[in-house]
């Protein structure tokens, strides 16, 4: 302010250049006085950065009032740069106590605490934040010493950057390429390093995994937006790493740990299921379905509660996904150009997803009779749709027009191969159930007195369903004879 004697003081506006220079100077002074950094941070810097960047609702966020926004000025940009520079320095691990406080400040650079997202300007600092995230993540030795407070700031910024990318490069506009500084790509690099660094193996606790899973889901979605299947598949690989990390939980047999394992494992399975169902890229869907099948065959499934865990996974993830994908793949219009070999591969993967986890965990599933019957009926419903009269006649109607001389997969061959594979898997499952005493020949009066009610119910449902499946009906008596001999 400037005033003459007897006059009121007048506030002089600060130029944008001066404001930006002041932010730079403030950061430089802090970095030059590293021995006194904790004192400067606690008394000046923390309050300064929070006051400048924290979201503050106006008038209590009442209806009709706009939230207070932050205009993205050169000063604000340098303020953000200052926080990133201080976090990069703090992540070197020289002062662990202050490092956690500084790294937690990353939370004010993005919603819900940060107010920059409310800026009406088109300019944003997403790439700026992503580059800072990568430089922080490279300091793996220092990050191995931080605690939950510091990790909260880092993983929050990872999740934010993962959601802000997926834009194809303007320089290289080829399909499947993202810009080198794309925020999602930088988030993937950071998360990949964090999960694979030996120094950080024991740093991330299990309660942090759901946040990491959310970040990976955002990476897969960014790959979809940017038509970059490599990023989506790389995200699935990170989910596999998380699944492998759960080996320590799976090795413990007590009930408390099994419930903890279930709460951590299900979000990973759901994250794998999402691209398997929704991705527009066939290779991504195939990778996701294959990964989901392999994941369910691991020993994790034998360490979780059967009724509230394994059965719900089968009912809510495996069977619906396999059924929906089989339906979609078989209903592709005949005038649509489609890679039938890729379609056949995906159909085979869906059939494997339906039966392999079921047979692998069959002994556990049988222990809960009602839930098991529901699962088996649902599986028979999917197989009825795959092998029923409608799909068979649809295949025959187009048999002649679909044949090609070059030996490539035709629609007729696609349907025929799928039916053969599905029928073989179904027959195998029936034989296993019969060997475990869960299937009998209800027409044989001599056996009904010595079998359980559950076996009678399952047998009635099974033989009735197979009798209604057009492709399998000719084999009904043969299967009964083989299963019940």
């Amino acid at each position: 302010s400037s005033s003459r004697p007897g006059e009121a003081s007048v506030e002089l506006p600060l130029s944008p250049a001066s404001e930006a220079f002041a932010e730079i100077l403030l950061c430089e002074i802090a970095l030059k006085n590293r021995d006194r950094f904790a004192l400067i941070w606690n008394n000046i810097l923390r309050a300064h950065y929070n006051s400048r960047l924290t979201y503050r609702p106006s008038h209590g966020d009442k209806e009709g009032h706009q939230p207070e926004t932050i205009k993205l000025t050169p000063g604000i940009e340098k303020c953000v740069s200052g926080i990133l520079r201080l976090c990069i320095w703090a992540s070197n691990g020289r002062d662990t106590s202050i490092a956690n406080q500084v790294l937690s400040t990353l939370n004010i650079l993005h919603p819900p605490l940060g107010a920059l997202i409310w800026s009406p300007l088109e300019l944003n600092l997403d790439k700026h934040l992503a580059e800072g995230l990568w430089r922080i993540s490279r300091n793996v030795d220092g990050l191995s010493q931080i605690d939950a407070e510091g990790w909260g700031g880092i993983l929050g910024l990872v999740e934010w950057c993962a959601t802000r990318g997926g834009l194809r490069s303007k320089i290289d506009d080829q399909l499947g390429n993202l810009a080198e500084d794309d925020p999602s790509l930088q988030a993937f690099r950071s998360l990949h390093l964090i999960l694979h660094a030996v120094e950080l193996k024991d740093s991330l606790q299990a309660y942090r995994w759901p946040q990491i899973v959310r970040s990976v889901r955002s990476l897969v979605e960014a790959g979809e937006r940017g038509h970059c299947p490599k990023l989506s598949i790389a995200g699935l690989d990170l989910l596999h790493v998380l699944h492998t990390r759960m080996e320590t939980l799976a090795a413990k047999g007590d009930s408390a740990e099994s419930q903890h394992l279930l709460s951590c494992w299900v979000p990973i399975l759901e994250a794998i299921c999402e691209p398997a169902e929704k991705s527009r890229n066939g290779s991504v869907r195939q990778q996701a379905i294959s990964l989901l099948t392999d994941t369910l065959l691991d020993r994790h499934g034998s360490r979780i509660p059967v009724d509230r865990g394994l059965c719900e996974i089968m009912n809510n993830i495996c069977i619906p996904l396999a059924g929906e994908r089989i339906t979609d793949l078989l209903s592709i219009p005949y005038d649509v150009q489609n890679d039938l070999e890729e379609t056949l591969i995906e159909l085979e993967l869906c059939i494997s997803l339906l039966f392999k986890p079921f047979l692998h965990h069959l002994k556990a599933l049988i222990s809960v009779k009602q839930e098991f019957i529901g699962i088996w009926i649902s599986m028979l419903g999917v197989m009825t749709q795959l092998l029923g009269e409608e799909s068979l006649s649809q295949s025959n109607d187009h048999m002649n027009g679909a044949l090609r001389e070059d030996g490539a997969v035709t629609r007729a061959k696609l349907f025929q191969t799928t039916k053969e594979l599905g029928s073989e898997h179904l027959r195998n499952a029936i034989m296993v159930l019969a060997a475990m005493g869960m299937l009998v020949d209800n027409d044989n009066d001599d056996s009904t007195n010595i079998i359980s009610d559950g076996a009678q119910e399952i047998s009635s449902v099974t033989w009735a369903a197979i009798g209604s499946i057009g492709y399998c009906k000719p084999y009904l008596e043969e299967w009964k004879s083989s299963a019940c001999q």
Side-chain angles (χ1 to χ4, degrees):
S1 63
S2 175
S3 61
R4 296 177 182 177
E7 294 182 359
S9 61
V10 178
E11 292 290 339
L12 298 178
L14 185 65
S15 70
S18 298
E19 180 187 4
F21 179 70
E23 288 289 351
I24 295 173
L25 194 59
L26 188 63
C27 180
E28 290 292 341
I29 291 174
L31 291 175
K32 292 294 185 181
N33 291 270
R34 297 178 181 180
D35 294 339
R36 295 181 288 274
F37 181 81
L39 181 66
I40 299 173
W41 175 261
N42 290 323
N43 290 282
I44 300 173
L45 294 181
R46 179 163 53 185
H48 168 73
Y49 289 130
N50 276 285
S51 65
R52 297 217 68 185
L53 298 177
T54 303
Y55 167 71
R56 295 178 295 277
S58 57
H59 304 288
D61 251 0
K62 295 180 180 179
E63 187 176 355
H65 293 284
Q66 295 295 324
E68 187 172 335
T69 61
I70 292 181
K71 186 177 181 180
L72 188 53
T73 62
I76 291 294
E77 182 180 355
K78 297 305 178 184
C79 181
V80 172
S81 298
I83 291 179
L84 292 175
R85 289 184 64 192
L86 295 178
C87 287
I88 293 169
W89 171 79
S91 64
N92 287 324
R94 295 182 177 88
D95 188 343
T96 306
S97 60
I98 200 65
N100 291 306
Q101 298 180 36
V102 177
L103 289 171
S104 67
T105 313
L106 292 171
N107 286 319
I108 68 174
L109 300 182
H110 57 84
L113 295 180
L116 280 177
I117 187 61
W118 302 109
S119 172
L121 301 182
E122 293 183 1
L123 178 64
N124 63 66
L125 299 178
D126 293 334
K127 293 183 178 181
H128 198 52
L129 296 176
E131 179 62 28
L133 170 66
W134 169 240
R135 296 188 183 188
I136 293 170
S137 303
R138 289 185 302 186
N139 297 323
V140 291
D141 290 327
L143 294 183
S144 64
Q145 304 175 40
I146 66 173
D147 61 16
E149 184 182 15
W151 277 116
I154 294 173
L155 294 180
L157 187 57
V158 169
E159 184 176 358
W160 172 251
C161 291
T163 65
R164 302 296 287 177
L167 301 177
R168 290 208 301 270
S169 172
K170 295 181 179 179
I171 300 175
D172 186 0
D173 200 29
Q174 294 182 3
L175 196 65
N177 289 336
L178 296 177
E180 282 297 317
D181 57 353
D182 183 88
S184 293
L185 198 56
Q186 295 278 50
F188 165 74
R189 290 169 178 157
S190 302
L191 199 53
H192 182 274
L193 179 59
I194 289 171
L195 292 178
H196 286 84
V198 177
E199 297 87 343
L200 303 179
K201 183 178 180 181
D202 300 321
S203 298
L204 290 175
Q205 301 299 317
Y207 71 89
R208 288 289 179 192
W209 293 346
Q211 186 176 20
I212 298 176
V213 171
R214 291 197 303 270
S215 301
V216 176
R217 294 180 83 154
S218 297
L219 290 176
V220 175
E221 292 172 0
E224 285 292 307
R225 284 195 305 271
H227 301 280
C228 183
K230 291 181 181 179
L231 180 59
S232 298
I233 293 175
L236 291 172
D237 290 341
L238 293 182
L239 292 174
H240 178 66
V241 173
L242 285 177
H243 164 77
T244 306
R245 285 280 189 92
M246 298 176 65
E247 186 67 26
T248 54
L249 293 179
K252 301 177 182 178
D254 56 281
S255 58
E257 287 298 334
S258 67
Q259 192 62 42
H260 187 198
L261 172 64
L262 178 63
S263 64
C264 293
W265 196 38
V266 170
I268 295 176
L269 298 178
E270 291 174 342
I272 299 173
C273 177
E274 188 173 24
E277 179 184 1
K278 299 178 180 178
S279 177
R280 294 167 296 182
N281 187 277
S283 61
V284 175
R285 293 195 305 270
Q286 293 172 21
Q287 180 75 9
I289 295 172
S290 178
L291 176 60
L292 183 59
T293 304
D294 293 341
T295 301
L296 290 169
L297 296 180
D298 214 335
R299 70 171 180 170
H300 297 48
S302 61
R303 298 294 190 271
I304 62 175
V306 179
D307 53 346
R308 301 185 315 277
L310 192 57
C311 290
E312 291 184 0
I313 290 171
M314 293 294 298
N315 277 321
N316 299 333
I317 296 178
C318 293
I319 298 175
L321 173 61
E324 290 173 8
R325 288 308 308 148
I326 288 173
T327 301
D328 291 344
L329 292 169
L330 293 182
S331 61
I332 297 173
Y334 279 79
D335 57 348
V336 173
Q337 295 296 324
N338 196 60
D339 189 339
L340 295 180
E341 292 186 359
E342 293 294 317
T343 302
L344 179 59
I345 292 173
E346 191 170 345
L347 281 168
E348 292 174 350
L349 290 172
C350 289
I351 294 172
S352 296
L353 173 63
L354 193 64
F355 283 98
K356 284 186 176 180
F358 173 77
L359 294 176
H360 184 77
H361 299 289
L362 184 57
K363 187 175 180 180
L365 293 172
I366 289 176
S367 65
V368 283
K369 186 181 72 172
Q370 290 304 318
E371 287 80 357
F372 170 75
I373 293 174
I375 290 171
W376 181 237
I377 290 175
S378 299
M379 292 177 62
L380 290 174
V382 174
M383 296 310 294
T384 301
Q385 190 173 20
L386 175 64
L387 303 174
E389 293 284 0
E390 182 179 353
S391 58
L392 184 64
S393 62
Q394 190 179 35
S395 174
N396 291 334
D397 288 342
H398 297 271
M399 177 74 75
N400 296 328
L403 294 176
R404 284 166 50 183
E405 296 179 357
D406 57 3
V409 175
T410 63
R411 288 190 179 276
K413 186 177 179 181
L414 169 69
F415 284 113
Q416 183 64 23
T417 304
T418 302
K419 288 179 176 61
E420 291 174 356
L421 181 64
S423 175
E424 183 63 29
H425 274 275
L426 180 58
R427 182 186 184 281
N428 184 41
I430 288 173
M431 296 303 139
V432 174
L433 286 173
M436 299 182 72
M438 298 304 295
L439 278 182
V440 296
D441 186 354
N442 289 343
D443 297 334
N444 188 347
D445 295 335
D446 296 336
S447 64
T448 55
N449 295 326
I450 58 175
I451 59 177
S452 65
D453 294 337
Q456 289 192 34
E457 184 177 358
I458 294 172
S459 301
S460 299
V461 170
T462 302
W463 303 131
I466 293 175
S468 66
I469 297 176
Y471 190 85
C472 298
K473 190 173 182 179
Y475 309 113
L476 177 59
E477 294 304 323
E478 177 190 342
W479 290 5
K480 273 189 178 183
S481 175
S482 300
C484 305
Q485 62 183 0

